[in-house]
Coordinates of all heavy atoms in Angstrom, one line a residue:
N1532 N 2.9 -13.6 1.9 CA 1.5 -13.3 1.7 C 1.0 -13.9 0.4 O 0.0 -14.5 0.3 CB 1.4 -11.7 1.7 CG 0.0 -11.2 1.5 OD1 -0.9 -11.4 2.3 ND2 -0.2 -10.5 0.3
L1536 N -1.8 -16.8 -0.4 CA -2.9 -16.6 -1.3 C -3.0 -17.6 -2.4 O -4.0 -18.0 -2.8 CB -2.8 -15.2 -1.9 CG -3.1 -14.0 -0.9 CD1 -2.6 -12.7 -1.5 CD2 -4.6 -14.0 -0.6
G1572 N -7.5 -14.1 1.7 CA -8.7 -14.3 0.9 C -10.0 -13.8 1.6 O -11.0 -13.6 1.1
T1574 N -9.6 -11.3 4.8 CA -9.4 -10.0 5.3 C -8.2 -9.4 4.6 O -7.6 -10.0 3.8 CB -9.0 -10.1 6.9 OG1 -7.8 -10.8 7.0 CG2 -10.1 -10.8 7.6
A1575 N -8.0 -8.1 4.8 CA -7.0 -7.3 4.1 C -5.7 -8.1 4.2 O -5.2 -8.5 5.2 CB -6.8 -5.9 4.7
C1576 N -5.0 -8.2 3.0 CA -3.7 -8.8 2.9 C -2.6 -7.8 3.0 O -2.9 -6.6 3.0 CB -3.7 -9.7 1.7 SG -3.2 -8.8 0.2
I1577 N -1.4 -8.2 2.9 CA -0.3 -7.2 3.0 C -0.4 -6.3 1.8 O -0.2 -5.1 2.0 CB 1.1 -8.0 2.9 CG1 1.2 -9.0 4.1 CG2 2.2 -7.0 2.8 CD1 1.7 -8.4 5.4
D1578 N -0.6 -6.8 0.6 CA -0.6 -5.9 -0.5 C -1.9 -4.9 -0.5 O -1.8 -3.9 -1.1 CB -0.6 -6.7 -1.8 CG 0.9 -7.1 -2.1 OD1 1.5 -7.7 -1.2 OD2 1.3 -6.9 -3.2
C1579 N -3.0 -5.3 0.1 CA -4.1 -4.5 0.2 C -3.8 -3.1 0.9 O -4.3 -2.1 0.6 CB -5.2 -5.1 1.1 SG -6.2 -6.4 0.2
T1580 N -2.8 -3.2 1.8 CA -2.4 -2.0 2.6 C -1.0 -1.6 2.3 O -0.4 -1.0 3.2 CB -2.5 -2.4 4.1 OG1 -1.7 -3.5 4.4 CG2 -3.9 -2.7 4.5
E1715 N -9.1 -2.6 5.6 CA -10.1 -3.1 4.7 C -9.4 -3.7 3.5 O -8.4 -3.3 3.0 CB -11.1 -2.0 4.2 CG -12.1 -1.7 5.3 CD -13.0 -0.6 4.9 OE1 -13.3 -0.5 3.7 OE2 -13.5 0.1 5.8
R1716 N -10.1 -4.7 2.9 CA -9.6 -5.3 1.7 C -9.7 -4.3 0.6 O -10.6 -3.5 0.5 CB -10.4 -6.5 1.3 CG -10.0 -7.7 2.1 CD -10.7 -8.9 1.6 NE -10.0 -9.5 0.4 CZ -10.4 -10.6 -0.3 NH1 -11.5 -11.2 0.1 NH2 -9.7 -11.1 -1.3
K1717 N -8.7 -4.3 -0.3 CA -8.8 -3.4 -1.5 C -9.4 -4.2 -2.6 O -9.0 -5.3 -3.0 CB -7.4 -3.0 -1.9 CG -7.3 -1.7 -2.5 CD -5.9 -1.2 -2.6 CE -5.4 -1.5 -4.0 NZ -4.0 -1.1 -4.1
E1718 N -10.5 -3.6 -3.2 CA -11.2 -4.3 -4.2 C -10.4 -4.8 -5.4 O -10.6 -5.9 -5.9 CB -12.3 -3.3 -4.8 CG -13.7 -3.8 -4.9 CD -14.6 -2.7 -5.2 OE1 -14.8 -2.4 -6.4 OE2 -15.1 -2.0 -4.2
N1719 N -9.4 -4.0 -5.8 CA -8.6 -4.4 -6.9 C -7.2 -4.7 -6.5 O -6.2 -4.5 -7.2 CB -8.6 -3.3 -8.0 CG -8.1 -2.0 -7.4 OD1 -8.0 -1.9 -6.2 ND2 -7.8 -1.1 -8.3
C1720 N -7.0 -5.3 -5.3 CA -5.7 -5.6 -4.8 C -5.1 -6.6 -5.8 O -5.6 -7.6 -6.2 CB -5.8 -6.3 -3.4 SG -4.2 -7.1 -2.9
S1721 N -3.8 -6.3 -6.2 CA -3.2 -7.1 -7.2 C -2.8 -8.5 -6.7 O -2.6 -9.4 -7.5 CB -1.9 -6.4 -7.8 OG -1.0 -6.2 -6.7
A1722 N -2.8 -8.6 -5.4 CA -2.4 -9.9 -4.8 C -3.6 -10.8 -4.5 O -3.6 -12.0 -4.8 CB -1.6 -9.7 -3.5
C1723 N -4.7 -10.2 -3.9 CA -5.8 -11.1 -3.4 C -7.1 -10.9 -4.0 O -8.0 -11.6 -3.7 CB -5.9 -10.9 -1.9 SG -6.7 -9.4 -1.4
S1724 N -7.2 -10.0 -5.0 CA -8.6 -9.7 -5.5 C -9.1 -10.7 -6.6 O -10.3 -10.7 -6.8 CB -8.7 -8.3 -6.0 OG -8.0 -8.2 -7.3
Ligands
LIG1287 ZN1 -5.0 -7.9 -0.9

Side-chain angles (χ1 to χ4, degrees):
N1532 178 64
L1536 288 167
T1574 65
C1576 81
I1577 300 276
D1578 281 51
C1579 284
T1580 57
E1715 285 180 30
R1716 283 189 80 180
K1717 206 169 98 185
E1718 228 169 90
N1719 58 347
C1720 171
S1721 63
C1723 75
S1724 71

